Amino acid sequence: MNDTRLPELSSADESAVRALYRRALDGWNLQDGAAFAGPFTEDGEVIGFDGTRHSGRSVIAAELGRIFTDHVPPEFVAKVRRVRALGPGVVQLDAVAGMVPDEAEDIDPALNALQTMIAVDAGAGWRIALMQTTPARYDLRPDLARALTAELRSLIGRGPGPV
């Protein structure tokens, strides 16, 4: 019989992975493409809210830098929902995120999202291999959309939120 249980994740590794996520969101909120891309692996990827994929840390830094130069994107607030080991040196982080548009004081529910991050440790410390943001519209479940907005609203004023 095969054992299908996932490996245990140490509290130190979980803290390190949460810190990576926080660093990426802090980079976004500072509108600093290099700071956002800093925690990624050299060949890391990010898939944005609109489906755009950027591959490679230097490409991520350059493209986000260009975006931040062209306009001021809303700031993220976020809450980590789960961190779990997928295998030795591979961890998945699941979070919910909302955005507060510039000059606004509240979450824009149309920008609520689920964020999934895959982090890897190849012996040189944890890095982000993939970060994907998926719109959380809940088209057929308006109750879930309202609940997520309320949860994210409670994080406003606390930075990216409890990570």
Side-chain angles (χ1 to χ4, degrees):
M1 180 175 210
N2 290 337
D3 185 358
T4 58
R5 287 178 290 175
L6 295 174
E8 292 291 321
L9 183 64
S10 74
S11 61
D13 286 339
E14 180 174 342
S15 292
V17 169
R18 286 173 176 266
L20 281 178
Y21 180 67
R22 164 77 89 188
R23 281 180 51 208
L25 292 189
D26 285 347
W28 176 279
N29 288 345
L30 291 170
Q31 298 176 21
D32 184 332
F36 177 85
F40 282 79
T41 61
E42 190 63 37
D43 62 349
E45 294 187 316
V46 64
I47 302 171
F49 189 85
D50 67 350
T52 302
R53 179 186 298 259
H54 302 295
S55 299
R57 185 185 314 137
S58 61
V59 171
I60 294 168
E63 286 301 310
L64 278 247
R66 183 186 59 74
I67 289 168
F68 296 145
T69 298
D70 290 347
H71 71 284
V72 177
E75 288 193 10
F76 274 117
V77 293
K79 181 178 182 180
V80 173
R81 291 257 175 99
R82 176 176 72 166
V83 180
R84 68 184 184 128
L86 298 178
V90 182
V91 170
Q92 175 182 333
L93 178 145
D94 295 318
V96 292
M99 299 184 106
V100 179
D102 197 33
E103 305 293 326
E105 295 180 16
D106 197 8
I107 295 287
D108 180 348
L111 300 176
N112 290 351
L114 305 176
Q115 290 186 319
T116 302
M117 184 184 89
I118 304 297
V120 295
D121 182 1
W126 290 99
R127 306 296 274 173
I128 300 170
L130 172 68
M131 185 170 176
Q132 178 168 345
T133 301
T134 304
R137 296 186 335 207
Y138 299 113
D139 293 335
L140 300 177
R141 294 291 309 269
D143 56 318
L144 293 178
R146 285 190 300 274
L148 178 57
T149 298
E151 180 180 4
L152 293 168
R153 187 173 283 138
S154 74
L155 302 174
I156 294 174
R158 292 197 251 162
V163 174

